[in-house]
Amino acid sequence: MRNLSVRTKITLWFSVLIILITAMMFTLMLVVSTSVLHTDVQETLKSVIETNAQEIEFIADISTQEMEAGDHYIEYNNAYLEIDDDFLNESSGVYTALYDSDGNLLYGQNLINAEISHDAKIHKVTYNKEKYYTFSKALSGDDLDGLILLGAINENANKTILNRIVNISLIVLPALAVFAIAGGYFLAGRFLRPIRKIIDSAENITDGNDLSMRIEIPEGRDELNKLADTYNKMFSRLEHSFEEEKQFTSDISHELRTPVATILAQCELTLEKERTSDEYIKSLTVINRQCMRMKNIVEEMLRYARLEKLDSLPNAQEINLSDLFNDVAEEQNARRVRSITINTDIDNGIIITGNSDLLVRLINNLISNAYRYGKDNGKIFLSLKQNEQEIILLVKDDGIGIDKEAQDKIFNRFYQADKARTAKDSEFGIGLGLSTASVIARLHGGYMGVESETGKGSTFYFKIPKKTK
Ligand code: ADP
């Protein structure tokens, strides 16, 4: 059963159901028909007896009576009974017998020796293992009192009708069942055809390793349509992650290419001829600096890759963001880089649910950038405020600023607005600082943004919307 196709399974279930329903219909029809036919037989019995009762007449003086051919005359009570020729001796399976008050059979036949009853009801009797209905009617008026008409009819008198119904049903019902099963098989095939198409498309996509292909979405808005749509969304996500993976690998090799090329060039140059120890030291210093840069790149990338994989914030707890921001600001201010000073306007007691290590990393990235791209003797301004809707953390500098075009890209991985400058100096980052900050902001349910003007400075903000309860 397990290995059968869905179409065959559906058809099998459907067939079992149809056969059951057909059998039930047949039984029901048989029961109803039998009951209707039995009622009909009883009606016939009563009606024949009632009709025959009209055909019996008492004739006191037969000499004055004009004898009619076909009529029967029976002596009765010193007179005669006239049985009209319309008297149905045996009609529609009903046998009628006329009895006098002493129980003597005067006319007709009682083939099953049925007994007379006086309750004007139909009785059921068994004779020779067959069931019969009997009905007795007492005649009255015109000196007929005391006479009794007794009728009997076989329960299955109209069995031929029942047989015909059964015969017809035995042909029609199986034919209908076969027709329904064939129809079911055909319809199951039709309904499942879009699924076959979806499977074929999915197989094509996986076999051909082409994630940019999509499944053709069938018309309408039913489950199949949703299935195809879900598959397509899954392929989109897969394609996106593969693209990201590819981009990441290519970014890594790109970032490592420069220091590797510098080291190789430095080695080749130094090895060209015998050098003085000073020259060797100089050369090794260059190589050392490039190695440090490579180490930084690899470490930064690993940290970023680990962070980017996270779906939710690790070790989240209540944090006093005001205290944390003040501490980082103080540490950074102590560096006294290029005589840049830090001013703060940090509101107290701002609490968030967060990860303090990650928040310190975010703030440090922003302040480091403010130092890197700030002007000598410049100012860095740090602020933390909150209003009804959100908490806003700002890091503002009066440095080189960022042009409009670059502002859209600085949060992308490895993007550096001034590549020439940053690549030369191992003090400068590798273009992951802001993308890391962005991921951290997202993990805290917030987002990063920038406002900047070239030559005047930049303001980076981290906003966390407050949860509305
Ligand atoms: P990097 O390691 O190069 O600093 P980031 O992701 O931190 O990488 O920043 C990306 C780029 O955005 C930087 O290379 C720089 O061009 C620009 N940038 C970032 N912060 C500032 C700032 N405060 N002022 C001007 N430019 C900035």
Side-chain angles (χ1 to χ4, degrees):
M1 187 81 178
R2 270 192 203 156
N3 297 332
L4 295 178
S5 71
V6 174
R7 185 185 191 181
T8 317
K9 277 185 200 163
I10 291 178
T11 314
L12 275 179
W13 280 114
F14 186 67
S15 306
V16 170
L17 208 73
I18 288 286
I19 290 168
L20 275 177
I21 292 174
T22 314
M24 272 162 60
M25 266 171 63
F26 182 70
T27 318
L28 191 77
M29 217 178 59
L30 216 60
V31 170
V32 172
S33 309
T34 311
S35 150
V36 168
L37 290 176
H38 284 177
T39 317
D40 196 46
V41 164
Q42 292 173 28
E43 292 297 321
T44 309
L45 172 64
K46 264 186 162 178
S47 123
V48 168
I49 297 299
E50 295 292 348
T51 314
N52 281 347
Q54 309 296 319
E55 310 301 340
I56 300 168
E57 221 177 296
F58 183 81
I59 301 168
D61 184 3
I62 200 155
S63 55
T64 59
Q65 181 75 26
E66 198 181 307
M67 309 268 272
E68 279 182 39
D71 290 353
H72 290 273
Y73 296 89
I74 306 164
E75 279 184 51
Y76 177 69
N77 278 355
N78 304 322
Y80 284 90
L81 286 176
E82 183 198 41
I83 316 284
D84 208 87
D85 62 350
D86 289 338
F87 187 94
L88 301 165
N89 208 347
E90 194 275 303
S91 162
S92 312
V94 181
Y95 290 92
T96 318
L98 178 64
Y99 286 92
D100 63 15
S101 53
D102 296 329
N104 300 314
L105 179 66
L106 300 178
Y107 184 76
Q109 46 192 341
N110 181 0
L111 295 178
I112 63 160
N113 293 329
E115 282 177 22
I116 295 165
S117 62
H118 299 280
D119 55 3
K121 280 187 186 156
I122 287 182
H123 290 262
K124 200 172 181 178
V125 297
T126 309
Y127 180 78
N128 267 353
K129 291 182 187 159
E130 297 232 25
K131 301 247 183 298
Y132 289 84
Y133 291 117
T134 64
F135 180 66
S136 310
K137 181 176 171 67
L139 303 184
S140 59
D142 294 338
D143 292 311
L144 291 176
D145 287 352
L147 288 172
I148 289 173
L149 259 185
L150 168 72
I153 186 166
N154 192 311
E155 183 189 52
N156 295 319
N158 45 15
K159 201 172 182 167
T160 42
I161 301 177
L162 189 68
N163 284 346
R164 203 174 299 159
I165 292 174
V166 170
N167 287 342
I168 291 173
S169 304
L170 282 177
I171 295 168
V172 171
L173 287 180
L176 277 178
V178 169
F179 187 68
I181 291 167
Y185 184 71
F186 171 74
L187 282 180
R190 253 190 96 96
F191 287 139
L192 291 172
R193 201 178 303 152
I195 294 191
R196 189 65 256 165
K197 262 173 113 179
I198 292 173
I199 295 171
D200 287 347
S201 309
E203 273 173 0
N204 272 347
I205 293 171
T206 28
D207 289 351
N209 264 332
D210 183 359
L211 288 172
S212 64
M213 275 170 73
R214 290 292 173 268
I215 293 170
E216 204 183 305
I217 297 186
E219 272 176 34
R221 286 240 42 89
D222 55 12
E223 288 82 352
L224 294 178
N225 194 284
K226 281 187 198 139
L227 179 72
D229 195 41
T230 311
Y231 258 108
N232 280 347
K233 279 186 185 140
M234 186 185 78
F235 284 126
S236 289
R237 273 203 306 276
L238 277 177
E239 188 189 11
H240 182 70
S241 354
F242 278 127
E243 284 305 318
E244 289 235 305
E245 205 70 36
K246 256 172 32 194
Q247 188 60 41
F248 198 63
T249 321
S250 109
D251 287 345
I252 292 172
S253 27
H254 185 80
E255 287 304 314
L256 291 177
R257 196 176 297 146
T258 315
V260 170
T262 313
I263 291 169
L264 279 176
Q266 191 64 43
C267 290
E268 272 169 30
L269 186 78
T270 314
L271 292 172
E272 262 174 13
K273 54 178 186 179
E274 193 76 18
R275 304 275 177 189
T276 64
S277 61
D278 270 1
E279 282 173 326
Y280 281 125
I281 289 171
K282 224 168 128 190
S283 174
L284 281 173
T285 312
V286 172
I287 291 170
N288 184 44
R289 195 165 59 234
Q290 291 307 325
C291 284
M292 287 302 289
R293 180 160 171 76
M294 280 166 72
K295 180 175 165 268
N296 282 348
I297 291 173
V298 172
E299 275 176 7
E300 267 296 300
M301 277 184 314
L302 273 178
R303 260 154 48 115
Y304 178 78
R306 271 190 217 123
L307 196 66
E308 210 194 24
K309 265 204 310 214
L310 296 177
D311 286 332
S312 60
L313 194 61
N315 304 326
Q317 46 189 275
E318 296 263 287
I319 287 171
N320 188 323
L321 187 60
S322 312
D323 291 353
L324 184 132
F325 200 17
N326 270 318
D327 292 349
V328 179
E330 241 171 73
E331 276 169 33
Q332 290 276 6
N333 201 19
R335 288 168 62 192
R336 298 258 165 239
V337 181
R338 287 160 40 224
S339 305
I340 296 174
T341 48
I342 291 184
N343 293 313
T344 61
D345 178 12
I346 297 173
D347 280 0
N348 282 330
I350 296 183
I351 310 287
I352 63 162
T353 306
N355 176 309
S356 52
D357 289 344
L358 294 181
L359 287 168
V360 168
R361 216 154 117 196
L362 181 150
I363 296 167
N364 268 335
N365 280 350
L366 296 183
I367 300 178
S368 300
N369 277 350
Y371 273 124
R372 272 180 204 156
Y373 307 105
K375 60 178 184 200
D376 294 348
N377 302 311
K379 282 189 170 50
I380 297 175
F381 175 69
L382 308 179
S383 132
L384 179 66
K385 302 270 160 202
Q386 67 176 332
N387 58 33
E388 296 271 289
Q389 291 86 37
E390 54 192 5
I391 295 164
I392 307 157
L393 183 148
L394 289 185
V395 176
K396 187 175 174 192
D397 66 66
D398 51 3
I400 60 170
I402 308 159
D403 64 52
K404 277 267 167 294
E405 208 190 319
Q407 280 177 34
D408 297 334
K409 302 179 190 152
I410 50 172
F411 293 101
N412 294 347
R413 269 184 337 206
F414 297 110
Y415 180 81
Q416 294 181 302
D418 188 357
K419 217 42 172 169
R421 180 178 163 190
T422 49
K424 269 187 274 159
D425 198 335
S426 62
E427 261 298 298
F428 281 85
I430 58 163
L432 281 179
L434 287 178
S435 27
T436 303
S438 232
V439 175
I440 296 173
R442 174 175 56 78
L443 287 170
H444 283 85
Y447 57 97
M448 295 287 313
V450 66
E451 280 163 16
S452 182
E453 210 178 312
T454 340
K456 287 200 170 160
S458 317
T459 304
F460 281 88
Y461 55 83
F462 163 39
K463 292 185 180 175
I464 313 174
K466 285 185 175 167
K467 284 183 197 112
T468 42
K469 282 178 190 158

